[in-house]
Amino acid sequence: MSLSPAQRVFRFAPSPNGRLHLGHAYSACLNHDRAREVGGQFLLRLEDIDLARCTPELEASLLSDLAWLGLTPDAPPRRQSEHFADYEAAIAALRDAGLVYPAFMTRGEVKGFATLHEKREGRPWPRDPDGAPIYPGLDRDLTPDERRARIRDGAPFAWRLDMAAALARLEGPLSFTETGNGSEDEVLAEPALWGDVVLARKDLPTSYHLAVTLDDALQGVTDVVRGCDLLPSTSVHRLLQALLGLPVPRYHHHELILGEDGRKLSKSEGAASVRALGEAGLTPVDIRRMVGL
Ligand code: GLU
């Protein structure tokens, strides 16, 4: 089924935890230009769940950089930190369905577990697509009494997806439409590669995976255009869409703009910030040219 132009909705979804760099500018321009080409909507979402790293100053600077680039969203931005209740409701639904469980092990403990196992067994512990050791699932096997006791004792915990239970609910394999290679491909989703992913962090009612999936649905996004570093994560998002009964957007994972050293640009290193380039005299047209548009 092809959508009529007015129904297409694109979004740029940066985290305001650093200055807008050339990689973001590219992604934002692509979303904006495609929306304009098809007479669709261009939306902005501020992925600011990490309250310690996302500041009002960085958000203001991001908004002014986007305005300077001439990328005006068609609606006020959705700020994730204002919608924690939506994520809590989704976690509650998954909890009621028996698909998430409280996990007490910290990332450091998971790493330690993997290293110990590797030393003992002499072979590598499995890693997720981001290279982090797969969670060993020890907390999944706690009895309800043990769980209750730990929570009563005040032990902090995250909510993790019970991947095996989630996959058992599916009627068949999942896939999504991907246009990043210039053709329209149906890509098989492989959420199992991630193991029992965190859906709500210890300090927050959500994680990136849950918030991004829910918000794309709540904002009526039909086209997700984002960097190819997020392609593996789409498998988790596709699974959450199936579990929560959400619509499935089309995906376009674009190539990344790399730094001179060939590495991904990083906000924390202040790489090629749009602001600095503007202050050095470059125009928005120069910026577009620099990213190949
Ligand atoms: N907030 C994410 C980032 O800045 C992007 C999320 C997405 O586009 O799905 O890397």
Side-chain angles (χ1 to χ4, degrees):
M1 188 188 78
S2 69
L3 296 164
S4 75
Q7 291 171 302
R8 301 275 294 269
V9 179
F10 294 74
R11 78 345 180 238
F12 174 55
S15 301
N17 57 12
R19 294 265 191 212
L20 195 81
H21 61 53
L22 282 179
H24 301 113
Y26 177 56
S27 205
C29 287
L30 273 187
N31 273 287
H32 169 270
D33 295 359
R34 278 175 187 243
R36 294 289 169 262
E37 269 159 36
V38 300
Q41 275 195 304
F42 169 63
L43 301 182
L44 178 63
R45 181 166 71 237
L46 297 162
E47 301 214 322
D48 62 346
I49 56 169
D50 194 335
L51 302 171
R53 292 175 63 217
C54 298
T55 65
E57 292 73 30
L58 288 170
E59 181 187 305
S61 115
L62 195 140
L63 293 175
S64 88
D65 290 348
L66 287 175
W68 180 75
L69 286 167
L71 309 176
T72 313
D74 294 316
R78 179 178 168 95
R79 211 173 269 111
Q80 290 188 324
S81 58
E82 292 171 353
H83 296 278
F84 283 170
D86 290 336
Y87 313 131
E88 270 159 15
I91 288 289
L94 292 168
R95 193 177 52 225
D96 292 348
L99 294 173
V100 289
Y101 61 90
F104 302 92
M105 270 178 106
T106 62
R107 271 183 217 285
E109 285 167 347
V110 173
K111 237 183 186 165
F113 178 94
T115 310
L116 200 69
H117 180 92
E118 286 174 345
K119 265 198 200 129
R120 266 203 212 129
E121 304 289 321
R123 59 192 154 88
W125 180 257
R127 310 260 147 183
D128 71 19
D130 280 347
I134 293 279
Y135 179 75
L138 302 182
D139 296 314
R140 193 180 47 223
D141 302 328
L142 294 178
T143 65
D145 277 349
E146 285 169 327
R147 241 172 229 166
R148 266 193 296 274
R150 295 204 59 175
I151 294 174
R152 209 178 35 236
D153 291 347
F157 63 90
W159 288 101
R160 283 187 180 265
L161 181 67
D162 184 335
M163 185 58 77
L167 295 175
R169 299 288 165 94
L170 304 179
E171 279 161 17
L174 298 173
S175 64
F176 55 90
T177 304
E178 169 66 38
T179 57
N181 279 334
S183 52
E184 194 165 297
D185 303 319
E186 205 53 27
V187 175
L188 184 72
E190 297 181 283
L193 295 179
W194 290 90
D196 290 358
V197 282
V198 171
L199 294 188
R201 287 165 30 172
K202 284 191 173 140
D203 50 340
L204 291 172
T206 186
S207 67
Y208 159 68
H209 292 307
L210 181 67
V212 81
T213 309
L214 210 56
D215 283 344
D216 282 336
L218 291 170
Q219 288 188 289
V221 172
T222 59
D223 291 78
V224 172
V225 177
R226 61 184 174 195
C228 61
D229 52 335
L230 291 170
L231 178 58
S233 295
T234 307
S235 286
V236 176
H237 308 166
R238 182 66 193 87
L239 174 60
L240 291 175
Q241 286 153 3
L243 298 175
L244 295 167
L246 305 174
V248 184
R250 287 151 55 88
Y251 289 90
H252 180 98
H253 291 92
H254 59 73
E255 70 275 29
L256 300 179
I257 304 288
L258 301 176
E260 278 165 15
D261 55 1
R263 291 190 15 230
K264 195 177 137 183
L265 295 176
S266 145
K267 279 184 274 199
S268 48
E269 289 160 23
S273 92
V274 167
R275 176 67 55 95
L277 294 168
E279 281 168 2
L282 273 74
T283 66
V285 174
D286 295 329
I287 303 282
R288 279 180 170 269
R289 208 170 292 132
M290 280 178 82
V291 296
L293 290 172

